[in-house]
Amino acid sequence: MKDFLFFTYSFVDNANLYFKSFEKAGYSCDYVDENTLESFFPEHQYRCVVRYLHCANTLSKTNSLINNEFRDALLVQHDDTDHENVQQWTHYNPQGGLVDPIGRPPDLIMQREYCAETKNPYACPIYPFHFPIPSVYDPSITEKEYDVCFMANITNQRRVPFIKRVLELSKTTMSDLRWFIDITGVGGAGRTTNMRQILNKSKIGLHYFGNSNDSIRIWEIASCKTALLMPKMKSFSVASDYMPFDEYEVMKDDFSDLEEKIRFLLENDRYAEQAERTQEEYLLNHAPEKCCEYYQEIVLKHLQAKEEK
């Protein structure tokens, strides 16, 4: 009997960081990905199976294994996609789409985009989490060369009005400020080649939601002692019951107060105090090791509860 089996993707570092943390904590773990699934034939039973691998051509085999070989294991559905609603991966028939249950439903759901609007079709517990993003803080950079930076890509049309407003302000009523703006970036997702240096050299980092409410950029800005300005996050992962995150400057959803908020942070160097508090909260609750501790605690609590029944 081993502790954990992870059905995962070989190329998704954020997910595998969570999964590998169990092995680092001393648990026995096996990993099966899109490249090894077809050749995988289980030699062990597992206390817990975590399902993240969910592309259509893998579901038939993973369903069969979970239904027949691992029916006594705790089944966790790990979803870090941009979907707010819980996805029914175990109920997918590659020949006919969603059908009546042909797969075992999960016992526990870990959902990155879990929020008040999330619909969960399963009668099982659901918990939020967010991307475990390493710090990009560079303590050797002490000069704040830019007043405001905004690096993003048009991943979703809801970001377009915000982009237009940022560009407008930078050319009109706030043209007196030192801006760094990269809308498309090099390498995708607004990642200019010197992204880390730019974030560390900026007093204020702007963020606006694209495909999802959680975002890699949120945690990069939070980590590097730069004041984070964005709308209020609606993800439950940052709620007080889970992984609290309150130390950032909140703008209105329609960003009508964007100019006011920027001026407020720059006045009397308020940005510096805000940046200190934001980084402290990142280190306390949101650095990768903290994310993994939180994730492990939830999974192990439910595994123990199942085994004690």
Side-chain angles (χ1 to χ4, degrees):
M1 173 75 74
K2 284 194 170 184
D3 294 316
F4 290 92
L5 173 65
F6 298 95
F7 288 114
T8 185
Y9 291 97
S10 61
F11 52 88
V12 185
D13 294 338
N14 289 325
N16 289 319
L17 192 153
Y18 275 118
F19 303 158
K20 292 288 186 179
S21 73
F22 285 87
E23 186 173 9
K24 289 181 179 179
Y27 295 94
S28 55
C29 302
D30 285 333
Y31 309 88
V32 177
D33 60 34
E34 76 284 1
N35 300 312
T36 59
L37 177 63
E38 284 306 311
S39 61
F40 172 68
F41 295 96
E43 299 178 358
H44 309 278
Q45 286 296 309
Y46 298 91
R47 299 170 61 205
C48 179
V49 173
V50 178
R51 182 180 208 163
Y52 175 47
L53 185 66
H54 58 275
C55 47
N57 64 328
T58 67
L59 290 172
S60 178
K61 180 159 185 178
T62 53
N63 268 346
S64 177
L65 288 168
I66 290 169
N67 290 352
N68 299 303
E69 302 296 330
F70 310 132
R71 55 183 174 271
D72 295 326
L74 180 79
L75 179 59
V76 179
Q77 178 167 303
H78 173 101
D79 187 352
D80 67 0
T81 67
D82 295 331
H83 295 292
E84 288 184 356
N85 293 329
V86 172
Q87 303 299 292
Q88 294 178 275
W89 296 337
T90 60
H91 293 74
Y92 184 85
N93 180 341
Q95 284 73 45
L98 287 173
V99 295
D100 290 335
I102 61 170
R104 177 185 156 195
D107 300 307
L108 171 66
I109 296 168
M110 300 299 293
Q111 184 93 1
R112 183 174 69 94
E113 286 294 290
Y114 181 32
C115 63
E117 288 76 36
T118 295
K119 295 179 175 60
N120 179 11
Y122 298 115
C124 72
I126 177 172
Y127 292 83
F129 69 98
H130 64 68
F131 284 138
I133 304 303
S135 173
V136 297
Y137 179 51
D138 187 344
S140 70
I141 298 176
T142 57
E143 181 181 353
K144 293 293 187 180
E145 181 178 340
Y146 305 102
D147 294 309
V148 187
C149 75
F150 179 58
M151 293 181 281
N153 202 352
I154 305 177
T155 57
N156 188 293
Q157 289 303 302
R158 68 174 172 171
R159 187 174 276 172
V160 173
F162 181 75
I163 290 173
K164 290 181 178 179
R165 181 58 175 159
V166 169
L167 292 172
E168 177 189 19
L169 289 176
S170 70
K171 295 173 183 177
T172 57
T173 58
M174 304 195 84
S175 61
D176 57 307
L177 301 184
R178 299 169 297 173
W179 293 80
F180 184 92
I181 299 173
D182 181 3
I183 302 301
T184 55
V186 177
R191 288 179 176 275
T192 183
T193 52
N194 57 341
M195 177 273 298
R196 176 172 180 167
Q197 288 73 25
I198 296 299
L199 288 179
N200 279 272
K201 290 180 178 181
S202 299
K203 296 177 180 178
I204 301 169
L206 302 180
H207 177 71
Y208 198 83
F209 308 120
N211 287 338
S212 58
N213 298 301
D214 177 40
S215 171
I216 292 173
R217 183 55 42 79
I218 292 171
W219 309 112
E220 289 173 338
I221 296 173
S223 74
C224 68
K225 205 174 285 189
T226 294
L228 172 60
L229 175 57
M230 66 177 180
K232 183 74 173 177
M233 289 184 71
K234 67 176 185 176
S235 305
F236 281 163
S237 60
V238 297
S240 58
D241 292 343
Y242 301 103
M243 302 162 70
F245 186 59
D246 299 308
E247 290 297 343
Y248 60 97
E249 190 65 29
V250 177
M251 73 174 87
K252 294 179 180 177
D253 288 349
D254 65 0
F255 47 87
S256 58
D257 59 346
L258 176 58
E259 181 172 1
E260 173 189 341
K261 290 291 186 176
I262 292 174
R263 295 290 187 192
F264 172 79
L265 286 170
L266 292 176
E267 185 180 32
N268 298 322
D269 290 343
R270 289 192 187 94
Y271 76 88
E273 296 178 5
Q274 181 64 71
E276 288 274 2
R277 295 195 301 270
T278 303
Q279 188 191 52
E280 287 176 3
E281 193 167 40
Y282 164 83
L283 294 172
L284 181 65
N285 293 321
H286 302 281
E289 60 270 21
K290 299 298 182 180
C291 292
C292 290
E293 288 173 8
Y294 160 85
Y295 192 102
Q296 288 179 33
E297 182 180 351
I298 292 170
V299 172
L300 293 170
K301 178 181 72 173
H302 285 271
L303 178 57
Q304 182 180 356
K306 178 180 175 63
E307 293 178 338
E308 288 177 351
K309 285 184 178 179

